[in-house]
Short mmCIF file of all heavy atoms in Angstrom, two decimals:
data_model
loop_
_atom_site.label_atom_id
_atom_site.label_comp_id
_atom_site.label_asym_id
_atom_site.label_seq_id
_atom_site.Cartn_x
_atom_site.Cartn_y
_atom_site.Cartn_z
N LEU A 197 6.26 9.43 6.64
CA LEU A 197 7.09 8.71 5.67
C LEU A 197 6.90 9.26 4.21
O LEU A 197 7.83 9.38 3.48
CB LEU A 197 6.78 7.20 5.70
CG LEU A 197 7.03 6.54 7.04
CD1 LEU A 197 6.66 5.01 6.86
CD2 LEU A 197 8.45 6.76 7.50
N LYS A 198 5.66 9.63 3.93
CA LYS A 198 5.40 10.15 2.59
C LYS A 198 6.04 11.54 2.40
O LYS A 198 6.46 12.01 1.32
CB LYS A 198 3.89 10.26 2.34
CG LYS A 198 3.26 8.96 1.98
CD LYS A 198 3.54 8.55 0.57
CE LYS A 198 2.75 7.39 0.07
NZ LYS A 198 3.03 7.00 -1.33
N ALA A 199 6.20 12.26 3.51
CA ALA A 199 6.88 13.54 3.40
C ALA A 199 8.45 13.37 3.15
O ALA A 199 9.02 14.21 2.51
CB ALA A 199 6.63 14.34 4.73
N VAL A 200 8.86 12.28 3.71
CA VAL A 200 10.30 11.98 3.53
C VAL A 200 10.59 11.31 2.19
O VAL A 200 11.56 11.72 1.46
CB VAL A 200 10.80 11.06 4.70
CG1 VAL A 200 12.26 10.70 4.41
CG2 VAL A 200 10.71 11.76 6.02
N MET A 201 9.83 10.38 1.83
CA MET A 201 9.95 9.56 0.60
C MET A 201 8.61 9.47 -0.10
O MET A 201 7.89 8.54 0.11
CB MET A 201 10.53 8.17 0.95
CG MET A 201 11.93 8.15 1.53
SD MET A 201 13.21 8.85 0.48
CE MET A 201 13.48 7.51 -0.65
N PRO A 202 8.30 10.49 -0.86
CA PRO A 202 6.92 10.55 -1.41
C PRO A 202 6.47 9.44 -2.34
O PRO A 202 5.26 9.25 -2.54
CB PRO A 202 6.95 11.93 -2.16
CG PRO A 202 8.36 12.23 -2.36
CD PRO A 202 9.09 11.64 -1.25
N TYR A 203 7.40 8.72 -2.86
CA TYR A 203 7.11 7.67 -3.91
C TYR A 203 7.00 6.25 -3.35
O TYR A 203 6.83 5.27 -4.02
CB TYR A 203 8.07 7.72 -5.05
CG TYR A 203 8.17 9.09 -5.60
CD1 TYR A 203 9.32 9.90 -5.36
CD2 TYR A 203 7.11 9.73 -6.28
CE1 TYR A 203 9.36 11.21 -5.87
CE2 TYR A 203 7.20 11.01 -6.78
CZ TYR A 203 8.35 11.70 -6.53
OH TYR A 203 8.46 13.01 -7.00
N ILE A 204 7.21 6.13 -2.01
CA ILE A 204 7.13 4.85 -1.30
C ILE A 204 5.73 4.24 -1.28
O ILE A 204 4.74 4.98 -1.22
CB ILE A 204 7.70 4.87 0.13
CG1 ILE A 204 7.86 3.51 0.68
CG2 ILE A 204 6.84 5.73 0.98
CD1 ILE A 204 8.56 3.50 2.06
N ASN A 205 5.62 2.96 -1.47
CA ASN A 205 4.22 2.34 -1.41
C ASN A 205 4.09 1.88 0.06
O ASN A 205 4.84 1.12 0.60
CB ASN A 205 4.25 1.13 -2.28
CG ASN A 205 2.88 0.37 -2.25
OD1 ASN A 205 1.90 0.99 -2.02
ND2 ASN A 205 2.92 -0.89 -2.46
N ILE A 206 3.00 2.40 0.70
CA ILE A 206 2.66 2.12 2.04
C ILE A 206 1.30 1.50 2.20
O ILE A 206 0.33 2.11 1.72
CB ILE A 206 2.79 3.41 2.95
CG1 ILE A 206 4.23 3.98 2.96
CG2 ILE A 206 2.36 3.11 4.35
CD1 ILE A 206 4.30 5.31 3.69
N ARG A 207 1.25 0.39 2.85
CA ARG A 207 -0.04 -0.20 3.16
C ARG A 207 -0.23 -0.15 4.67
O ARG A 207 0.63 -0.54 5.48
CB ARG A 207 -0.06 -1.72 2.73
CG ARG A 207 0.22 -1.95 1.30
CD ARG A 207 0.14 -3.47 1.00
NE ARG A 207 0.93 -3.84 -0.11
CZ ARG A 207 1.23 -5.17 -0.36
NH1 ARG A 207 0.69 -6.09 0.36
NH2 ARG A 207 1.98 -5.45 -1.43
N THR A 208 -1.31 0.33 5.17
CA THR A 208 -1.63 0.45 6.55
C THR A 208 -2.77 -0.47 7.01
O THR A 208 -3.71 -0.70 6.28
CB THR A 208 -1.96 1.89 6.91
OG1 THR A 208 -3.13 2.31 6.20
CG2 THR A 208 -0.83 2.78 6.69
N HIS A 209 -2.61 -1.05 8.17
CA HIS A 209 -3.62 -1.87 8.75
C HIS A 209 -3.83 -1.43 10.19
O HIS A 209 -2.98 -1.64 11.06
CB HIS A 209 -3.28 -3.29 8.77
CG HIS A 209 -3.12 -3.89 7.36
ND1 HIS A 209 -4.17 -4.25 6.55
CD2 HIS A 209 -1.94 -4.15 6.66
CE1 HIS A 209 -3.68 -4.67 5.38
NE2 HIS A 209 -2.38 -4.65 5.47
N THR A 210 -4.92 -0.70 10.50
CA THR A 210 -5.19 -0.22 11.81
C THR A 210 -5.99 -1.27 12.62
O THR A 210 -7.16 -1.15 12.89
CB THR A 210 -5.96 1.10 11.72
OG1 THR A 210 -5.26 1.95 10.87
CG2 THR A 210 -6.02 1.81 13.17
N VAL A 211 -5.22 -2.38 12.97
CA VAL A 211 -5.88 -3.48 13.65
C VAL A 211 -4.84 -4.03 14.68
O VAL A 211 -3.63 -3.73 14.59
CB VAL A 211 -6.21 -4.60 12.66
CG1 VAL A 211 -7.32 -4.14 11.66
CG2 VAL A 211 -4.95 -5.12 11.93
N LYS A 212 -5.31 -4.78 15.55
CA LYS A 212 -4.46 -5.59 16.51
C LYS A 212 -4.13 -6.95 15.82
O LYS A 212 -4.97 -7.58 15.37
CB LYS A 212 -5.20 -5.77 17.88
CG LYS A 212 -4.33 -6.46 18.90
CD LYS A 212 -5.05 -6.63 20.24
CE LYS A 212 -4.29 -7.27 21.30
NZ LYS A 212 -3.09 -6.42 21.66
N ILE A 213 -2.83 -7.25 15.86
CA ILE A 213 -2.41 -8.49 15.31
C ILE A 213 -2.73 -9.64 16.21
O ILE A 213 -2.46 -9.56 17.40
CB ILE A 213 -0.92 -8.49 15.03
CG1 ILE A 213 -0.54 -7.40 13.90
CG2 ILE A 213 -0.40 -9.81 14.52
CD1 ILE A 213 0.97 -7.31 13.62
N THR A 214 -3.38 -10.63 15.63
CA THR A 214 -3.78 -11.80 16.42
C THR A 214 -3.34 -13.08 15.64
O THR A 214 -2.98 -12.98 14.46
CB THR A 214 -5.28 -11.87 16.68
OG1 THR A 214 -5.99 -12.05 15.38
CG2 THR A 214 -5.80 -10.56 17.31
N LYS A 215 -3.55 -14.18 16.31
CA LYS A 215 -3.23 -15.48 15.56
C LYS A 215 -4.15 -15.63 14.38
O LYS A 215 -3.71 -16.26 13.41
CB LYS A 215 -3.56 -16.59 16.57
CG LYS A 215 -2.46 -16.74 17.66
CD LYS A 215 -2.80 -17.93 18.61
CE LYS A 215 -1.78 -18.13 19.69
NZ LYS A 215 -2.05 -19.33 20.54
N ASP A 216 -5.32 -15.05 14.36
CA ASP A 216 -6.30 -15.24 13.26
C ASP A 216 -5.97 -14.40 12.08
O ASP A 216 -6.42 -14.78 10.93
CB ASP A 216 -7.72 -14.93 13.81
CG ASP A 216 -8.15 -15.90 14.86
OD1 ASP A 216 -7.70 -17.06 14.80
OD2 ASP A 216 -8.94 -15.46 15.70
N ASN A 217 -5.27 -13.31 12.22
CA ASN A 217 -5.04 -12.43 11.02
C ASN A 217 -3.57 -12.31 10.58
O ASN A 217 -3.28 -11.61 9.63
CB ASN A 217 -5.61 -11.05 11.26
CG ASN A 217 -4.97 -10.28 12.37
OD1 ASN A 217 -3.91 -10.68 12.91
ND2 ASN A 217 -5.59 -9.22 12.90
N ILE A 218 -2.72 -13.00 11.25
CA ILE A 218 -1.27 -12.96 10.89
C ILE A 218 -0.96 -13.21 9.42
O ILE A 218 -0.27 -12.53 8.75
CB ILE A 218 -0.39 -13.75 11.86
CG1 ILE A 218 -0.23 -13.09 13.24
CG2 ILE A 218 0.98 -14.11 11.25
CD1 ILE A 218 0.55 -13.87 14.23
N GLN A 219 -1.45 -14.36 9.02
CA GLN A 219 -1.12 -14.76 7.65
C GLN A 219 -1.76 -13.80 6.64
O GLN A 219 -1.09 -13.44 5.67
CB GLN A 219 -1.77 -16.18 7.34
CG GLN A 219 -1.04 -17.30 8.16
CD GLN A 219 -1.36 -18.65 7.72
OE1 GLN A 219 -1.20 -19.01 6.60
NE2 GLN A 219 -1.96 -19.43 8.61
N GLU A 220 -2.91 -13.35 6.83
CA GLU A 220 -3.56 -12.33 5.95
C GLU A 220 -2.68 -11.03 5.91
O GLU A 220 -2.49 -10.52 4.82
CB GLU A 220 -4.93 -12.03 6.35
CG GLU A 220 -5.65 -10.96 5.53
CD GLU A 220 -7.00 -10.60 6.04
OE1 GLU A 220 -7.47 -11.22 7.09
OE2 GLU A 220 -7.66 -9.66 5.60
N LEU A 221 -2.28 -10.62 7.00
CA LEU A 221 -1.54 -9.32 7.10
C LEU A 221 -0.12 -9.38 6.63
O LEU A 221 0.41 -8.43 6.02
CB LEU A 221 -1.51 -8.80 8.57
CG LEU A 221 -2.87 -8.46 9.19
CD1 LEU A 221 -2.72 -8.10 10.63
CD2 LEU A 221 -3.48 -7.23 8.46
N LEU A 222 0.56 -10.47 6.75
CA LEU A 222 1.99 -10.57 6.55
C LEU A 222 2.48 -11.46 5.47
O LEU A 222 3.64 -11.58 5.21
CB LEU A 222 2.62 -11.06 7.95
CG LEU A 222 2.34 -10.25 9.13
CD1 LEU A 222 3.01 -10.89 10.34
CD2 LEU A 222 2.82 -8.81 8.98
N SER A 223 1.52 -12.07 4.73
CA SER A 223 1.89 -13.08 3.68
C SER A 223 2.76 -12.43 2.60
O SER A 223 3.56 -13.07 1.87
CB SER A 223 0.70 -13.72 3.15
OG SER A 223 -0.21 -12.79 2.53
N ASP A 224 2.52 -11.11 2.27
CA ASP A 224 3.31 -10.47 1.22
C ASP A 224 4.68 -9.91 1.62
O ASP A 224 5.44 -9.60 0.75
CB ASP A 224 2.48 -9.27 0.66
CG ASP A 224 1.27 -9.69 -0.04
OD1 ASP A 224 1.19 -10.90 -0.46
OD2 ASP A 224 0.36 -8.87 -0.25
N ALA A 225 4.99 -9.95 2.89
CA ALA A 225 6.24 -9.38 3.37
C ALA A 225 7.44 -10.29 3.15
O ALA A 225 7.35 -11.52 3.32
CB ALA A 225 6.17 -9.00 4.84
N ASP A 226 8.57 -9.74 2.67
CA ASP A 226 9.80 -10.52 2.59
C ASP A 226 10.46 -10.57 3.94
O ASP A 226 11.10 -11.67 4.29
CB ASP A 226 10.78 -9.77 1.62
CG ASP A 226 10.21 -9.70 0.27
OD1 ASP A 226 9.88 -10.70 -0.37
OD2 ASP A 226 10.09 -8.51 -0.25
N VAL A 227 10.34 -9.54 4.77
CA VAL A 227 10.90 -9.48 6.11
C VAL A 227 9.89 -8.91 7.07
O VAL A 227 9.22 -7.95 6.63
CB VAL A 227 12.29 -8.71 6.21
CG1 VAL A 227 12.80 -8.74 7.57
CG2 VAL A 227 13.23 -9.14 5.16
N ILE A 228 9.77 -9.44 8.24
CA ILE A 228 8.83 -8.92 9.24
C ILE A 228 9.55 -8.47 10.47
O ILE A 228 10.42 -9.12 11.00
CB ILE A 228 7.85 -10.06 9.67
CG1 ILE A 228 7.06 -10.55 8.40
CG2 ILE A 228 6.92 -9.62 10.75
CD1 ILE A 228 6.47 -11.92 8.62
N CYS A 229 9.29 -7.12 10.85
CA CYS A 229 9.82 -6.62 12.03
C CYS A 229 8.92 -6.71 13.19
O CYS A 229 7.81 -6.12 13.10
CB CYS A 229 10.27 -5.12 11.77
SG CYS A 229 11.58 -4.95 10.62
N GLU A 230 9.36 -7.30 14.28
CA GLU A 230 8.58 -7.41 15.47
C GLU A 230 8.92 -6.20 16.34
O GLU A 230 10.12 -5.95 16.70
CB GLU A 230 8.81 -8.64 16.28
CG GLU A 230 8.16 -8.78 17.54
CD GLU A 230 8.93 -8.12 18.71
OE1 GLU A 230 10.11 -8.33 18.84
OE2 GLU A 230 8.26 -7.28 19.40
N ALA A 231 7.97 -5.38 16.69
CA ALA A 231 8.20 -4.10 17.43
C ALA A 231 7.16 -3.91 18.48
O ALA A 231 6.69 -2.76 18.70
CB ALA A 231 8.34 -2.95 16.53
N PHE A 232 6.75 -4.93 19.16
CA PHE A 232 5.76 -4.90 20.21
C PHE A 232 6.33 -4.54 21.55
O PHE A 232 7.57 -4.62 21.80
CB PHE A 232 5.01 -6.23 20.39
CG PHE A 232 4.18 -6.64 19.18
CD1 PHE A 232 3.85 -7.96 18.95
CD2 PHE A 232 3.58 -5.67 18.38
CE1 PHE A 232 2.99 -8.32 17.87
CE2 PHE A 232 2.73 -5.97 17.33
CZ PHE A 232 2.46 -7.31 17.08
N ASP A 233 5.49 -4.09 22.44
CA ASP A 233 5.92 -3.78 23.87
C ASP A 233 5.80 -4.98 24.84
O ASP A 233 6.58 -5.08 25.76
CB ASP A 233 5.08 -2.59 24.41
CG ASP A 233 5.28 -1.36 23.62
OD1 ASP A 233 6.39 -1.13 23.12
OD2 ASP A 233 4.31 -0.58 23.54
N VAL A 234 4.81 -5.85 24.58
CA VAL A 234 4.51 -6.92 25.50
C VAL A 234 5.13 -8.22 25.13
O VAL A 234 5.04 -8.64 23.98
CB VAL A 234 2.93 -7.06 25.63
CG1 VAL A 234 2.64 -8.13 26.59
CG2 VAL A 234 2.31 -5.78 25.98
#
């Protein structure tokens, strides 16, 4: 993404989303995209 749009702000979280961390991970988002397999 940085190669395509070098000035974009990207935050990464290399974690599994659970009931316990959803609010911490997603509270700043205006829109949330669900893209899970299961």
Side-chain angles (χ1 to χ4, degrees):
L197 299 181
K198 282 287 189 177
V200 173
M201 298 295 285
Y203 308 107
I204 189 172
N205 180 31
I206 296 177
R207 304 183 207 167
T208 59
H209 299 282
T210 309
V211 296
K212 185 178 179 66
I213 297 178
T214 68
K215 292 181 179 181
D216 295 330
N217 62 16
I218 281 178
Q219 293 191 60
E220 177 186 355
L221 294 173
L222 303 178
S223 60
D224 289 343
D226 300 302
V227 184
I228 299 163
C229 291
E230 177 279 308
F232 290 156
D233 295 327
V234 180

